[in-house]
Amino acid sequence: VWAAIEAQCWPEDLAADEAKCGARIDAWPEGQWGAERDGRLVGVVTSQCLSSAFLKSGAATYARLTDHGAYGASHNPSGDIFQLVAVSVSPDARGMKLGRLLVDHALDFARSLDGIARRIGFTRPIGYHLHSDMKIDGYLDLRDENGRWVDPVLDFHLRAGARVTSCHADYRPEDGDALGYGVLIEYPL
Ligand SMILES: CC(C)(COP(=O)(O)OP(=O)(O)OC[C@H]1O[C@@H](n2cnc3c(N)ncnc32)[C@H](O)[C@@H]1OP(=O)(O)O)[C@@H](O)C(=O)NCCC(=O)NCCS
């Protein structure tokens, strides 16, 4: 069922298939949550823990940092970094704060874990392909007339208190909407 939500929410190349969803649950069942509505799974938030040493030891890419989305070789139960990997809500259940509820639940859980010093995520600037004439830093700062970030995913996180730490080209080259970029955000503890 989780894989069906993925397929509804992510471009084909980026969606986790059944094997990956199963591998995530095997790696760290406590870090995977779903939201139900009328008895139906409509949203998922997925996370893992990393050690700072692992984060620093190589390129900031989705493939390396999440073991291609399966977490088997990346999740470290004694890691000091809690990583929100993705949040997905079915299109017909969006706009009801389920995404926020899921992320806040995961962030609260991270606070309850011993030894967590940072709560991070590599988020996708999904509207960057529409502004590819701009430098990425300028795009990340772009606001609309109401002061909201033009990028909807950044807006989702930054309005809730996350901060941008750094920006990484080739984080996920197959992410055409984000032109491959990953934006490292951090929710202060
Ligand atoms: C991001 C996502 C989980 C939000 O789910 P949700 O339940 O609608 O979230 P909420 O109701 O809590 O918050 C809505 C906010 O999400 C943001 N948002 C992020 N992506 C969005 C999208 N593709 N479409 C519309 N809003 C989006 C907006 O800021 C929106 O604010 P608004 O309701 O004031 O317009 C959902 O849009 C989704 O599954 N998107 C596809 C997967 C994805 O890109 N995930 C994020 C990267 S990990």
Side-chain angles (χ1 to χ4, degrees):
V1 198
W2 178 358
I5 304 262
E6 291 275 326
Q8 288 178 344
C9 293
W10 297 83
E12 202 178 340
D13 285 0
L14 308 184
D17 61 14
E18 251 181 76
K20 284 206 174 128
C21 296
R24 292 171 177 187
I25 293 168
D26 288 345
W28 197 32
E30 295 84 352
Q32 324 305 319
W33 295 272
E36 264 184 23
R37 197 161 171 261
D38 301 329
R40 184 171 66 96
L41 186 73
V42 292
V44 177
V45 63
T46 172
S47 67
Q48 63 171 353
C49 290
L50 300 175
S51 72
S52 295
F54 177 65
L55 178 62
K56 282 189 219 136
S57 67
T61 64
Y62 178 87
R64 187 180 82 85
L65 293 175
T66 69
D67 187 15
H68 300 271
Y71 307 171
S74 53
H75 170 66
N76 180 338
S78 50
D80 53 334
I81 298 178
F82 175 84
Q83 182 190 4
L84 275 172
V85 179
V87 56
S88 314
V89 171
S90 293
D92 64 352
R94 286 188 193 162
M96 294 187 285
K97 301 288 168 224
L98 286 176
R100 192 71 256 154
L101 195 76
L102 283 161
V103 168
D104 286 347
H105 183 78
L107 292 169
D108 285 348
F109 172 75
R111 213 185 262 286
S112 77
L113 294 173
D114 285 338
I116 293 295
R118 297 175 68 191
R119 301 181 300 180
I120 69 163
F122 283 89
T123 198
R124 322 164 52 208
I126 59 165
Y128 188 38
H129 66 288
L130 303 172
H131 297 269
S132 54
D133 51 325
M134 297 182 74
K135 289 203 168 138
I136 183 75
D137 290 348
Y139 174 67
L140 298 182
D141 285 339
L142 205 60
R143 310 271 196 127
D144 67 14
E145 60 283 3
N146 300 315
R148 291 179 56 162
W149 280 271
V150 164
D151 188 86
V153 180
L154 264 190
D155 188 65
F156 174 84
H157 289 293
L158 301 189
R159 274 198 302 138
R163 294 185 195 139
V164 172
T165 300
S166 50
C167 187
H168 302 267
D170 295 325
Y171 176 71
R172 209 169 175 185
E174 61 277 31
D175 188 345
D177 293 338
L179 301 183
Y181 277 92
V183 180
L184 177 55
I185 55 156
E186 187 148 353
Y187 281 89
L189 267 170

